[in-house]
């Protein structure tokens, strides 16, 4: 379980590392892709609940994340997150985004399990960043 | 063959026959033809019928085919409908599943939050159970627990430890005069300073009110505790800036040492508390180590407190009056009312033996009101008896002066007794006046506006701001008897007395010296142009009746 947990974290770190230009739009695309997948399974309200909780937990490390408002509309929610990131240095934004994604998927994994969470991430983001990981899952 | 044998004879016949035959044949042929035609017609009819049947059959088949096509179309429609129904049902199922998932996620996240809140509340409750809300310091319960553990460890390792019981001096005055909000902030400031004096291994706790305790589990010897106590006294000596106030507060500290002063937590705390009271009695703002004989005094003190609570009801207090003399004319110009307690078992007790206890337990307020009423009542009675009017002075404690009802009480007493305000003098110490000069100033002016005289008692022993001295509506400076006692033998005391007299004169204040015991002292003061004197040389404190007699005999007091 611990190994799976670290592998998922690595998937996230790899995906973020694939954006060397520190492009905020690319960072948010990860969220949008993941949101589409997850909303299809747990609905808007389920996603909102997970997202709000992740924001709350991330704020203990990055108080500025999600501080401006608590919009429940997906489009506005990510627009606000984008503004949050744009107000920080790229390194800070990247670090915060990484933590937010890890926190979000940690919660999701605690609800539906590591394997399904990773499958969803692969569906959302494609297998490029996690090809190796997927094989490892399969061998389990 | 038969036809060949009859050829000759029968040629014509034959022809006839032939003809007949031909005719017959023709007829036959005709018949045959007719029959054939009939047959053909029949066949035709039959064929037509067949055709008609076939057509009917074909029509039937076409109908069947049409029916089949209709059936197929219907069945296709049904299939499509069925597929649509299945798809619709599937979509519904998906929506339901999504909704169910959403509810499960939301419910689980809410459950997480709730569990987290419960955990946080449990931690908070645990902290609250063991810490003081105001200062955040460990509370009595936690200190006792740590002390018990420290005693066990000290016992095993053959070490000493110290318990310090600390009580802020005159904190009630600040609380009563400036309100609890300021008092609370002062307690927080004190707590921080005590923490700054402690080591990581020490525990500073708030016991409640203005009482704190320190546990020093690792000390080399008693001197280690003394060093810590001195640090705390020094740390608290600096003023505390609370809102717009600059507050001064000191602390009295009692110290008990394990194992010398007790083997368990309860005894250690009790003995440190006893030592703290001893520190208070020794003038406050200091520390005292516990000694066994303190316990006896503590028992006596406790007994006094219990008795004090009944003394007012039982009318056990009396006022004695000591004359104040005009040094030039020797005339009695006033008296100071001094409280005595006629204790049913211990006899007549002086104020030093019970006033500090009364201040600590809050009884000073009703006792102070009683003194004021009694003094005004006597002064008015003497006037009504035709005796020369004199000023009666009453000592006012800080607790009374800062009490919100102080001015109203005085007005009530004056109204009740009928004494004119100009015959009442209030004696206040420097420490009372200089504490929170702003509110002091307004109170003093309110009293002065009524016509009440104001005197600074024990002048020279406290800290007076000369600018306030000039600003306050003070009438009299009362030189402390400690300077008067030695002024004839100690040039420094003589210089102080002389300086105070001169300063008083310069500020146009009346100066009175108290504690005059000899003619030499009286003479010295007269030379220094001191206005008034008070002391046993002129007259010891006496009961109201005795003073009335004295006033009746003569308004001038000739020293004995």
């Amino acid at each position: 379980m611990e190994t799976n947990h670290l592998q998922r974290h690595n998937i996230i770190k790899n995906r973020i590392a694939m954006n060397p230009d520190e492009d905020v739009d690319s960072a948010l695309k990860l969220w949008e892709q993941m949101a589409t997948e997850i909303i299809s399974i747990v609905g808007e309200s389920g996603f909102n609940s997970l997202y709000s909780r992740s924001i709350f937990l991330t704020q203990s490390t990055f108080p500025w994340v999600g501080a401006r408002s608590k919009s429940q509309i997906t489009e506005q929610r990510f627009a606000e997150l984008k503004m949050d990131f744009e107000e920080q240095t790229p390194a800070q934004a990247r670090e915060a985004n990484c933590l937010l994604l890890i926190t979000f998927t940690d919660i999701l994994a605690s609800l539906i399990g590591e394997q399904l969470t990773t499958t969803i991430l692969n569906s959302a983001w494609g297998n490029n960043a996690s090809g190796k990981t997927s094989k490892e899952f399969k061998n389990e | 063959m038969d036809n060949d044998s009859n050829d000759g004879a029968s040629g014509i016949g034959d022809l006839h026959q032939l003809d007949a035959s031909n005719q017959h044949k023709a007829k036959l042929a005709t018949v045959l033809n007719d029959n054939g035609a009939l047959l053909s017609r029949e066949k035709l009819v039959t064929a037509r019928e067949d055709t008609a049947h076939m057509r009917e059959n074909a029509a039937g088949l076409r109908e069947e085919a049409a029916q089949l096509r209709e059936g197929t179309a219907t069945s296709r429609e049904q299939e499509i409908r069925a597929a649509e129904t299945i798809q619709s049902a599937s979509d519904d199922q998906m929506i339901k599943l999504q909704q169910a998932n959403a509810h499960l996620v939301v419910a689980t996240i809410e459950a997480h939050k709730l569990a987290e809140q419960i955990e946080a509340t449990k931690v908070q409750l645990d902290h609250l159970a063991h810490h003081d809300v105001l200062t955040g310091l460990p509370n009595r319960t936690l200190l006792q627990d740590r002390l018990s553990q420290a005693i066990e460890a000290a016992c095993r390792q053959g070490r000493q430890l110290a318990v310090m019981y600390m009580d802020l001096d005159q904190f009630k005055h600040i609380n009563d005069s400036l309100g609890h909000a300021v008092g609370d902030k002062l307690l927080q400031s004190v707590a921080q300073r005590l923490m700054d004096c402690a080591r990581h291994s020490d525990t500073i706790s708030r016991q409640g009110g203005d009482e704190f305790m320190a546990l020093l589990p690792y000390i080399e010897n008693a001197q280690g505790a003394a060093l810590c106590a001195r640090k705390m006294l020094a740390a608290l000596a600096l003023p505390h800036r609370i809102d717009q106030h600059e507050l001064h507060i000191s602390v009295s500290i009692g110290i008990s040492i394990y194992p010398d002063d007790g083997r368990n937590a309860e005894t250690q705390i009790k003995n440190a508390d006893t030592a703290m009271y001893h520190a208070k009695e020794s003038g406050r703002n200091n520390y005292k180590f516990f000694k066994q004989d303190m316990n006896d005094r503590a028992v006596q003190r406790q007994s006094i407190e219990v008795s004090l609570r009944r003394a007012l009801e039982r009318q056990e207090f009396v006022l004695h009056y000591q004359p104040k003399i005009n040094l030039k004319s020797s005339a009695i110009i006033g008296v100071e009312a001094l409280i005595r307690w006629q204790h049913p078992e211990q006899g007549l007790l002086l104020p030093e033996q019970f006033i500090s206890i009364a201040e600590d337990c809050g009884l000073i307020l009703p006792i102070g009101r009683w003194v004021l009423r009694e003094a005004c009542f006597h002064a008015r009675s003497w006037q009504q008896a035709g005796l020369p009017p004199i000023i009666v002075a009453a000592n006012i404690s800080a607790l009374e002066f800062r009490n919100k009802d102080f001015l109203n009480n005085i007005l009530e007493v004056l109204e009740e007794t009928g004494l004119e305000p100009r015959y009442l003098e209030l004696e206040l110490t420097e420490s009372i006046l200089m504490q929170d000069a702003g509110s002091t100033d307004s109170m003093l002016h309110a009293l002065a506006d009524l016509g009440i005289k104001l005197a600074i008692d024990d002048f020279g022993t406290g800290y007076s701001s000369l600018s306030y001295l000039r600003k306050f509506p003070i009438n009299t400076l009362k030189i402390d008897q400690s300077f008067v006692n030695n002024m004839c033998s100690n040039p420094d005391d003589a210089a102080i007395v002389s300086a105070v007299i001169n300063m008083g004169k310069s500020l146009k204040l009346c100066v009175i010296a108290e504690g005059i015991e000899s003619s030499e002292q009286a003479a010295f003061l007269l030379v220094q142009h001191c206005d008034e004197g008070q002391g046993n040389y002129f007259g010891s404190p006496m009961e109201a009746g005795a003073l009335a007699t004295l006033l009746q005999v003569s308004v001038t007091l000739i020293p004995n």
Side-chain angles (χ1 to χ4, degrees):
Chain A
M1 188 66 190
E2 179 63 21
T3 311
N4 295 351
H5 167 85
L6 291 174
Q7 282 168 345
R8 174 169 46 78
H9 290 191
N10 283 336
I11 293 172
I12 292 167
K13 285 171 188 169
N14 288 342
R15 288 304 300 199
I16 287 176
M18 286 169 70
N19 176 27
D21 298 335
E22 316 287 8
D23 178 12
V24 173
D25 286 328
S26 299
L28 288 173
K29 197 173 175 191
L30 295 176
W31 277 103
E32 282 157 5
Q33 289 169 333
M34 191 172 71
T36 305
E37 284 294 318
I38 290 169
I39 287 168
S40 71
I41 299 166
V42 301
E44 276 281 348
S45 56
F47 181 85
N48 286 340
S49 185
L50 287 166
Y51 184 76
S52 302
R53 182 75 179 147
S54 312
I55 290 280
F56 171 76
L57 294 174
T58 304
Q59 280 174 339
S60 61
T61 311
F62 298 101
W64 49 267
V65 171
R68 67 186 68 239
S69 82
K70 303 193 187 306
S71 175
Q72 294 290 305
I73 303 163
T74 310
E75 227 169 84
Q76 284 178 17
R77 185 175 50 220
F78 292 142
E80 283 159 5
L81 187 62
K82 184 182 176 186
M83 283 190 275
D84 288 343
F85 287 157
E86 283 171 342
E87 285 169 5
Q88 307 300 321
T89 64
Q92 278 177 321
R94 189 178 58 238
E95 208 180 331
N97 192 30
C98 186
L99 180 62
L100 188 59
L101 281 165
I102 285 174
T103 307
F104 184 96
T105 55
D106 278 350
I107 301 169
L108 186 63
S110 73
L111 300 181
I112 63 171
E114 277 295 336
Q115 204 157 356
L116 187 51
T117 304
T118 308
T119 306
I120 291 168
L121 289 185
N122 288 335
S123 282
W125 295 341
N127 291 321
N128 293 347
S130 57
K132 188 183 167 196
T133 312
S134 298
K135 281 175 193 167
E136 285 167 356
F137 274 126
K138 285 168 192 167
N139 291 335
E140 284 174 0
Chain B
M1 281 294 280
D2 290 338
N3 292 332
D4 290 338
S5 49
N6 295 322
D7 283 336
S10 61
I12 297 170
D14 286 342
L15 283 173
H16 286 295
Q17 280 179 348
L18 183 60
D19 187 46
S21 175
N22 283 340
Q23 286 177 352
H24 180 70
K25 280 182 183 177
K27 284 179 182 175
L28 190 60
T30 304
V31 169
L32 283 172
N33 282 341
D34 289 345
N35 285 343
L38 186 63
L39 281 171
S40 290
R41 278 195 296 275
E42 281 175 0
K43 279 178 186 173
L44 191 61
V45 169
T46 305
R48 279 178 185 156
E49 281 175 0
D50 287 347
T51 304
H53 284 304
M54 283 174 72
R55 278 183 187 147
E56 280 173 11
N57 286 342
L61 284 171
R62 276 198 298 276
E63 271 178 24
E64 279 176 17
Q67 280 171 353
L68 275 172
R69 278 198 296 276
E70 276 176 17
T72 306
T74 307
S75 135
R76 272 186 199 148
E77 275 173 17
Q78 282 171 347
E79 277 173 18
I80 289 165
R81 280 195 205 110
E84 281 174 355
T85 308
I86 290 165
Q87 183 61 44
S88 172
S90 176
D91 287 349
D92 284 350
Q93 287 295 98
M94 282 300 290
I95 290 165
K96 282 175 192 167
L97 276 172
Q98 199 183 53
Q99 284 174 345
N101 284 341
H103 288 155
L104 284 171
V105 167
V106 172
T108 312
I109 296 291
E110 290 303 315
H112 280 184
K113 284 187 204 167
L114 206 58
E116 205 171 70
Q117 281 170 3
I118 289 167
E119 191 55 38
T121 307
K122 274 165 77 177
V123 169
Q124 274 181 341
L125 280 174
D126 187 58
H127 189 269
L128 276 175
H130 295 99
H131 290 80
D132 170 50
V133 176
L134 180 66
T135 60
L137 292 176
N139 63 10
R140 186 191 297 262
T141 311
L142 184 54
L143 181 109
Q144 279 185 331
D145 187 46
R146 288 188 185 172
L147 178 57
S148 298
Q149 289 181 25
I151 286 175
E152 280 179 24
C155 178
R156 281 197 304 274
Q157 296 160 15
R159 283 188 290 103
Q160 287 187 308
L161 65 79
V163 172
M164 297 166 70
Y165 207 112
M166 294 168 275
D167 188 282
L168 300 182
D169 301 325
Q170 315 288 339
F171 176 74
K172 280 179 185 156
H173 305 167
I174 291 172
N175 233 9
D176 291 346
S177 59
L178 301 177
H180 289 281
V182 171
D184 285 353
K185 285 180 186 173
L186 180 60
L187 288 172
Q188 288 170 332
S189 175
V190 166
Q192 186 56 54
R193 289 194 192 176
L194 292 177
M195 286 282 286
D196 293 343
C197 296
R199 294 172 300 183
H200 185 67
S201 56
D202 300 339
T203 296
I204 304 290
S205 83
R206 181 173 174 229
Q207 297 296 95
D210 59 347
E211 292 180 348
F212 295 84
M213 276 190 71
L215 164 63
L216 315 181
Y218 302 103
I219 53 163
E220 290 287 320
N221 49 44
Q223 282 315 303
L227 186 68
C228 184
R230 284 197 291 272
K231 267 175 72 179
M232 288 173 170
L233 290 169
L236 289 188
L238 299 169
H240 299 258
R241 188 83 200 165
I242 309 290
D243 298 337
Q244 74 275 25
H245 308 283
E246 192 172 90
L247 302 176
H248 294 262
I249 191 95
S250 59
V251 64
S252 298
I253 304 173
I255 306 171
S256 65
I257 303 292
Y258 172 87
D260 300 347
D261 302 331
R263 294 275 174 175
N264 57 50
E266 192 185 348
T267 311
Q268 282 289 327
I269 292 171
K270 184 172 76 69
N271 289 343
D273 188 21
T274 303
M276 183 273 291
Y277 273 104
H278 196 73
K280 285 235 185 254
E281 285 176 2
S282 304
R284 302 189 177 104
N285 194 29
N286 61 12
Y287 65 91
K288 291 286 175 194
F289 282 98
F290 173 75
K291 287 177 187 160
Q292 195 52 48
D293 64 354
M294 289 179 181
N295 264 339
D296 305 333
R297 298 185 61 182
V299 169
Q300 190 191 5
R301 185 187 173 87
Q302 177 63 23
S303 159
I304 288 173
E305 188 176 327
V306 172
S307 307
L308 257 181
R309 293 187 184 278
R310 299 187 202 134
L312 267 175
E313 295 166 24
R314 295 178 180 178
Q315 300 182 324
E316 292 172 356
F317 293 116
V318 289
L319 285 187
H320 284 187
Y321 296 92
Q322 187 169 40
K324 292 180 179 181
I325 306 299
N326 180 309
L327 288 175
K328 273 186 191 166
S329 66
S330 296
I332 299 173
I333 42 83
V335 288
E336 179 181 359
L338 298 162
I339 190 170
R340 302 289 186 261
W341 180 8
Q342 191 65 56
H343 195 282
E345 291 154 13
Q346 297 176 40
L348 197 68
L349 299 180
L350 296 172
E352 303 87 86
Q353 293 169 282
F354 61 89
I355 285 296
S356 65
I357 300 171
E359 283 179 334
D360 289 340
C361 65
L363 282 170
I364 193 67
L365 291 176
I367 291 173
R369 278 197 291 274
W370 179 85
V371 168
L372 199 64
R373 182 173 284 105
E374 194 76 352
C376 291
F377 173 76
H378 280 146
R380 179 65 182 145
S381 302
W382 295 326
Q383 289 176 8
Q384 284 173 331
L387 297 171
I390 55 167
I391 294 168
V392 65
N395 292 286
I396 301 297
S397 75
L399 208 59
E400 291 173 88
F401 187 71
R402 300 288 170 202
N403 187 276
K404 60 181 183 350
D405 298 327
F406 178 63
L407 191 61
N408 283 339
N409 283 336
I410 287 179
L411 290 169
E412 276 175 25
V413 166
L414 290 172
E415 195 179 332
E416 270 178 46
T417 58
L419 184 71
E420 288 179 55
R422 63 190 169 120
Y423 293 117
L424 175 63
E425 184 175 64
L426 303 180
E427 295 190 5
L428 303 131
T429 61
E430 290 167 281
S431 58
I432 297 173
L433 296 176
M434 297 308 154
Q435 194 178 66
D436 190 25
S439 65
T440 298
D441 190 46
S442 57
M443 175 59 81
L444 292 180
H445 276 97
L447 294 167
D449 290 347
L450 289 171
I452 294 168
K453 305 276 189 301
L454 298 167
I456 301 184
D457 202 7
D458 304 333
F459 189 78
T461 58
Y463 302 93
S464 284
S465 155
L466 293 179
S467 73
Y468 283 130
L469 206 57
R470 182 167 50 82
K471 196 174 155 193
F472 291 157
I474 300 293
N475 304 93
T476 305
L477 291 184
K478 199 167 184 182
I479 305 172
D480 187 63
Q481 58 184 328
S482 61
F483 302 115
V484 175
N485 286 345
N486 301 317
M487 65 186 177
C488 293
S489 56
N490 186 332
D492 291 341
D493 284 348
I496 289 169
V497 169
S498 179
V500 171
I501 293 169
N502 287 329
M503 187 185 71
K505 292 282 169 197
S506 304
L507 293 170
K508 296 189 172 46
L509 298 174
C510 174
V511 180
I512 180 170
E514 62 180 338
I516 301 171
E517 300 283 339
S518 68
S519 59
E520 194 185 1
Q521 290 169 340
F524 177 86
L525 290 163
L526 193 57
V527 169
Q528 297 297 321
H529 303 292
C530 184
D531 301 301
E532 295 168 5
Q534 178 187 344
N536 290 335
Y537 174 67
F538 298 110
S540 301
M542 60 193 82
E543 289 182 5
L547 186 85
T549 307
L550 185 66
L551 289 173
Q552 211 163 20
V553 172
S554 171
V555 291
T556 58
L557 203 63
I558 299 162
N560 46 17

